Amino acid sequence: MNPPAYNPGNDHTGSADNVVQAGHVHGSINVHTSLPDVMRTPVPHQLHGVVRHFVGRAAELSQLRMVLEQRTAEGPLVTTTIVVSGAPGVGKTALLVHWVRQVRDEFPDGVLYVDLHGYGPVAPKNTGQVLDSFLRALGVSPQLIPSELEDRSALYRSMLTSRRMVVILDNADNSERIRPLLPGSEFALALITSRSTLSGLVVRDGAYRMTLDTLSPSEADNLLRQIIGADRVEAEPAAAAELARLCAFLPLALRIVAERISAQPHARLADLVGDLTSEARRLDILSPADDEQTAVRAVFSWSYRALTPPVARLFRLLGTSPCPDLTVPAIGALAELDPAETRTLLFSLVSLHLLTEHQRGRYKFHDLLRVYAAERAAEDEPAAERAAALDRLLNWYLDAADAADRRVAPGGTSITPVRELAVEFGSYDEALAWFETEKENLRAVIRGALESGHHDIAAYLALEMWGFFNIRKYWTDWLACNEIGLAAAGLSGNRRAEAWLLTSQGTAYRNLRRRAEAIEFHRGALEKFDLITDLAGVGYARQNLANVQADGREFEPALVNFGLALDAFRQLTDTRDRLRGEGVTYNSMAVAYNNMGEYESALECARNAIDRWTELDSGHGLAFGHHSIGTAYAGLGRFDEAVTSFDAALRIRRQINDRHGEARSLLALGAVQQDLHRVVDARESARSAVEIFTVLNAPEIEDAAELLTQLEQSGS
């Protein structure tokens, strides 16, 4: 783990307090009208791929169409929420995905989708996390996303006002969890799937409820014809009918067993049905009467027992994973396979509908199959093998997160034990994208590591995500991962990791402008570092505490703590650690002096920082120092010198591919160019900053958009 060598949030003197204060949004935001063209929100299309072998459901599709056609004279929908309930494996999601594809032209503003994981071994999605994801998809800057659930939900509903959208809430387990996710708009349609009837939504929210039953015999027959061929069904109609009955007319079970049969083109259906009947009888004896999986367990078992040993082993091991989905490299680590072997075995599981490639290169179970795979692992896989597989997966994620963090937040002091990393990232963008796509899995892995007794891995993984969270501002996730990490560090007695997690938590609360909590956590970190006599940690804790005090314009105590931080760093015997700590502190002091209006002192501190970063050959630190010098020159009215300094910072940030820092320097440069009346140059700088912040979904996007709007309105 690499604690950030400096806090990127200190890289400027601008404040967003007029927009966000203590996690609450002030004022309304109209993304479509208040931002320049380059920031217009792309229409989200989060719908799944085409459903293969969709059959029947004519009555249900007609019902859905009827609800959609019920509009007022002005055009809004009469019914804005539809709940489709039914047994697992009955095809609820497939029905809605198929229907939405038919009517999506009527919802030109896009489709939002989330699997809430309401049932099964994977923890249900946190409502606040879902809202965060939806708001980002709608183009809301992370800086504008409130920390409180109620405020987040209110902003989400405001964003959907007048938008013709579909929101699919898949696998919901209760009404209260999903109520904040309802659009609340007369134009947006919420589609919900659940095993429960969700009566609360019907009674309180006026939802329209549909209960999806199993397929009819004729629909089941049609599905079998599509997969195994009409000629085989017509040759043995009685056997085909018995096959459908044994599958309880569930689409999931029928697809699995039909794919299994299609792989045996010369076998008689009657013989295959006999095998399945025998399997069903055996499992009926072993299964309790109220087990919802009894109807399909025979199908799963029949397919599972026909797998080759390597494929069956992979199926079992996938059932031990705590992650919602997995990639080929992660699966290879779990099963100790090379990429070619992994892909070959995955192809077999996907071909038999025992696993789904729901996105390119990403594989997941249907929740019933996940439970069955976990059962098979518990019964058929030795405990030592299960433990070894989980250990490999957790360590692979720790290696990958460590490698990604070294790209996203380079130059820090690593506290993760030195190890040979099995994963490499070629660039900052690649590493950031990996964190983005893996964030749900990383949350699950951190929790899984805690629950399985891998306490140090849980603590270190939480720390590895610090740099990513500091950039992308996933507040709920950041705080939640730190809480799990702190619990794990406490159980393992890893005081150093605990101290750094307290520091990370303090940094998160500082980002949220919740100064009281930030100060509490940084003081807690200081106590821990003092206790273990970690001088570097003491220095960083003092420096972070001073930053929060300076944010509140408590400059006198802040300067005292900055001085104590420097005293701690100067006692370090490792030259690089000493220089890094001093460089971080001088950078922060330069920001504080700039905010105080003491620009000469800011220049002195920034130059001291540059001296340290030059000796360390740290591009990030040098860019930070030049940026602070530019800010000081701008404050002194020495605009030409400010441009030179911002250009220097910009040049370094481009060399090290620091896109976030590049955009910040462009924004600052644009403001100075505006002061110099170089409007064309200023407009270009601001536009470039907006474009980068938009790609990164970074919190400064609003500041850049405001400057660009001013410049465009001022003319050439």
Side-chain angles (χ1 to χ4, degrees):
M1 168 269 165
N2 298 307
Y6 56 87
N7 184 345
N10 286 341
D11 201 359
H12 58 94
T13 57
S15 172
D17 288 343
N18 59 321
V19 181
V20 181
Q21 182 67 32
H24 296 277
V25 173
H26 297 283
S28 61
I29 305 163
N30 187 330
V31 173
H32 287 296
T33 59
S34 65
L35 303 182
D37 288 342
V38 73
M39 289 187 60
R40 296 289 164 83
T41 306
V43 176
H45 289 292
Q46 299 180 344
L47 199 61
H48 281 187
V50 177
V51 180
R52 291 178 58 203
H53 306 308
F54 186 88
V55 299
R57 305 301 195 190
E60 290 84 357
L61 291 169
S62 178
Q63 276 184 274
L64 290 167
R65 186 74 204 187
M66 177 194 68
V67 174
L68 182 60
E69 290 173 349
Q70 291 178 349
R71 300 176 183 270
T72 66
E74 292 77 25
L77 296 166
V78 173
T79 300
T80 59
T81 304
I82 299 175
V83 176
V84 179
S85 61
V90 80
K92 301 181 292 293
T93 305
L95 171 69
L96 292 184
V97 169
H98 181 76
W99 180 67
V100 170
R101 288 197 172 277
Q102 291 182 337
V103 301
R104 60 183 174 182
D105 287 346
E106 300 194 35
F107 297 97
D109 293 319
V111 180
L112 295 172
Y113 171 89
V114 63
D115 183 348
L116 295 168
H117 301 303
Y119 304 91
V122 175
K125 283 274 187 74
N126 178 283
T127 304
Q129 293 168 345
V130 176
L131 284 168
D132 182 279
S133 175
F134 279 177
L135 288 168
R136 290 167 190 261
L138 292 168
V140 179
S141 164
Q143 188 179 12
L144 296 178
I145 297 177
S147 60
E148 301 299 326
L149 178 64
E150 184 178 349
D151 297 328
R152 201 171 280 192
S153 180
L155 177 58
Y156 165 69
R157 290 192 298 271
S158 297
M159 293 296 298
L160 291 187
T161 300
S162 301
R163 294 194 189 204
R164 296 186 181 275
M165 296 191 71
V166 175
V167 180
I168 301 178
L169 307 174
D170 205 6
N171 289 318
D173 60 346
N174 66 68
S175 299
E176 292 305 316
R177 195 190 308 277
I178 63 171
R179 189 165 277 117
L181 303 174
L182 299 180
S185 164
E186 296 174 327
F187 297 96
L189 180 65
L191 301 174
I192 303 163
T193 72
S194 179
R195 299 182 195 178
S196 167
T197 58
L198 299 182
S199 299
L201 293 183
V202 177
V203 174
R204 179 174 161 184
D205 301 279
Y208 178 87
R209 182 168 62 206
M210 293 174 53
T211 300
L212 192 63
D213 205 348
T214 55
L215 295 176
S216 68
S218 63
E219 290 172 333
D221 182 82
N222 189 12
L223 182 56
L224 289 174
R225 287 169 180 266
Q226 284 192 22
I227 300 176
I228 68 177
D231 53 343
R232 296 183 74 183
V233 174
E234 291 170 0
E236 298 182 77
E242 178 64 6
L243 182 65
R245 188 192 68 78
L246 286 169
C247 291
F249 300 100
L250 282 168
L252 173 66
L254 276 163
R255 287 190 178 94
I256 292 171
V257 78
E259 291 288 355
R260 173 80 186 103
I261 290 171
S262 68
Q264 303 177 61
H266 303 298
R268 293 179 65 248
L269 287 187
D271 293 337
L272 298 173
V273 168
D275 293 342
L276 182 56
T277 302
S278 174
E279 194 71 50
R281 287 174 180 161
R282 186 182 72 82
L283 288 168
D284 281 344
I285 295 171
L286 299 176
S287 302
D290 61 350
D291 184 356
E292 65 182 4
Q293 281 205 205
T294 299
V296 294
R297 187 179 270 107
V299 173
F300 296 165
S301 176
W302 191 57
S303 294
Y304 167 71
R305 293 181 190 283
L307 298 175
T308 64
V311 178
R313 173 181 176 269
L314 179 59
F315 180 79
R316 294 191 299 271
L317 293 182
L318 286 170
T320 68
S321 167
C323 302
D325 69 356
L326 287 172
T327 60
V328 171
I331 294 169
L334 174 76
E336 206 169 16
L337 299 169
D338 64 39
E341 290 177 296
T342 303
R343 291 189 181 92
T344 299
L345 300 183
L346 287 172
F347 179 79
S348 297
L349 291 174
V350 171
S351 298
L352 292 170
H353 286 285
L354 294 175
L355 195 67
T356 301
E357 187 179 11
H358 72 109
Q359 296 176 20
R360 182 177 175 82
R362 303 193 73 86
Y363 297 84
K364 66 182 293 188
F365 279 125
H366 182 282
D367 53 2
L368 288 181
L369 281 162
R370 178 184 290 276
V371 171
Y372 182 74
E375 289 177 358
R376 295 275 53 82
E379 293 184 22
D380 300 344
E381 194 73 19
E385 290 298 318
R386 298 198 306 271
L390 179 60
D391 185 72
R392 288 193 298 269
L393 182 67
L394 297 180
N395 276 285
W396 182 87
Y397 267 105
L398 181 58
D399 285 351
D402 192 11
D405 185 55
R406 290 174 190 275
R407 286 288 186 182
V408 169
T413 302
S414 178
I415 71 167
T416 302
V418 176
R419 50 208 284 146
E420 184 178 348
L421 300 181
V423 183
E424 293 184 2
F425 296 93
S427 68
Y428 169 92
D429 290 342
E430 183 184 344
L432 193 66
W434 182 84
F435 270 126
E436 191 69 54
T437 56
E438 290 287 344
K439 63 181 183 297
E440 286 188 38
N441 281 339
L442 286 162
R443 287 198 307 265
V445 167
I446 292 170
R447 182 170 294 281
L450 171 66
E451 293 172 352
S452 62
H454 294 75
H455 298 139
D456 279 342
I457 289 180
Y460 290 138
L461 263 175
L463 284 169
E464 298 290 3
M465 297 188 72
W466 178 355
F468 167 68
F469 285 143
N470 201 33
I471 293 169
R472 286 300 174 91
K473 312 303 182 188
Y474 288 105
W475 312 118
T476 304
D477 294 345
W478 192 353
L479 297 174
C481 287
N482 281 342
E483 287 173 4
I484 298 171
L486 282 166
L491 288 169
S492 68
N494 191 333
R495 292 179 176 176
R496 191 164 187 234
E498 190 175 6
W500 280 112
L501 283 161
L502 288 168
T503 302
S504 177
Q505 200 78 324
T507 304
Y509 278 116
R510 182 191 176 208
N511 274 260
L512 285 167
R513 288 151 172 92
R514 291 166 60 170
R515 294 184 58 254
E517 290 101 324
I519 287 175
E520 177 186 352
F521 278 101
H522 285 313
R523 283 178 174 160
L526 179 59
E527 291 177 6
K528 296 288 184 184
F529 284 127
D530 266 333
L531 190 64
I532 61 176
T533 320
D534 184 333
L535 283 174
V538 168
Y540 285 115
R542 290 283 187 189
Q543 180 256 344
N544 279 301
L545 187 57
N547 282 336
V548 182
Q549 292 169 327
D551 290 343
R553 305 196 70 77
E554 298 176 9
F555 293 118
E556 186 173 341
L559 292 175
V560 170
N561 273 314
F562 281 135
L564 292 172
L566 287 173
D567 289 342
F569 289 129
R570 286 166 182 159
Q571 296 178 59
L572 297 178
T573 55
D574 185 285
T575 301
R576 294 187 65 82
D577 286 346
R578 175 181 58 79
L579 291 173
R580 185 182 298 113
E582 290 177 359
V584 168
T585 306
Y586 278 125
N587 274 336
S588 293
M589 291 175 70
V591 172
Y593 279 124
N594 274 327
N595 286 330
M596 294 168 66
E598 296 186 16
Y599 301 116
E600 294 292 350
S601 296
L603 284 172
E604 181 182 356
C605 288
R607 287 167 180 152
N608 283 335
I610 285 175
D611 288 342
R612 273 72 179 171
W613 297 126
T614 299
E615 193 166 345
L616 289 169
D617 192 25
S618 168
H620 283 271
L622 285 169
F624 192 111
H626 285 298
H627 190 107
S628 291
I629 287 177
T631 302
Y633 279 142
L636 291 168
R638 295 160 62 176
F639 298 124
D640 288 326
E641 292 167 285
V643 168
T644 300
S645 294
F646 287 132
D647 277 339
L650 189 58
R651 184 167 54 255
I652 296 170
R653 283 170 165 166
R654 284 172 173 162
Q655 288 173 350
I656 63 176
N657 198 26
D658 178 6
R659 296 281 284 165
H660 192 256
E662 177 185 353
R664 282 185 161 170
S665 291
L666 282 165
L667 176 58
L669 178 62
V672 173
Q673 289 168 330
Q674 182 185 37
D675 290 331
L676 288 168
H677 307 292
R678 292 165 49 184
V679 177
V680 174
D681 291 339
R683 190 180 298 139
E684 180 60 29
S685 296
R687 182 172 295 278
S688 296
V690 166
E691 290 173 351
I692 296 172
F693 284 141
T694 301
V695 170
L696 298 180
N697 201 15
E700 297 85 353
I701 192 170
E702 292 291 322
D703 298 331
E706 182 180 354
L707 176 61
L708 181 56
T709 299
Q710 292 174 3
L711 292 165
E712 288 180 336
Q713 291 174 349
S714 68
S716 59

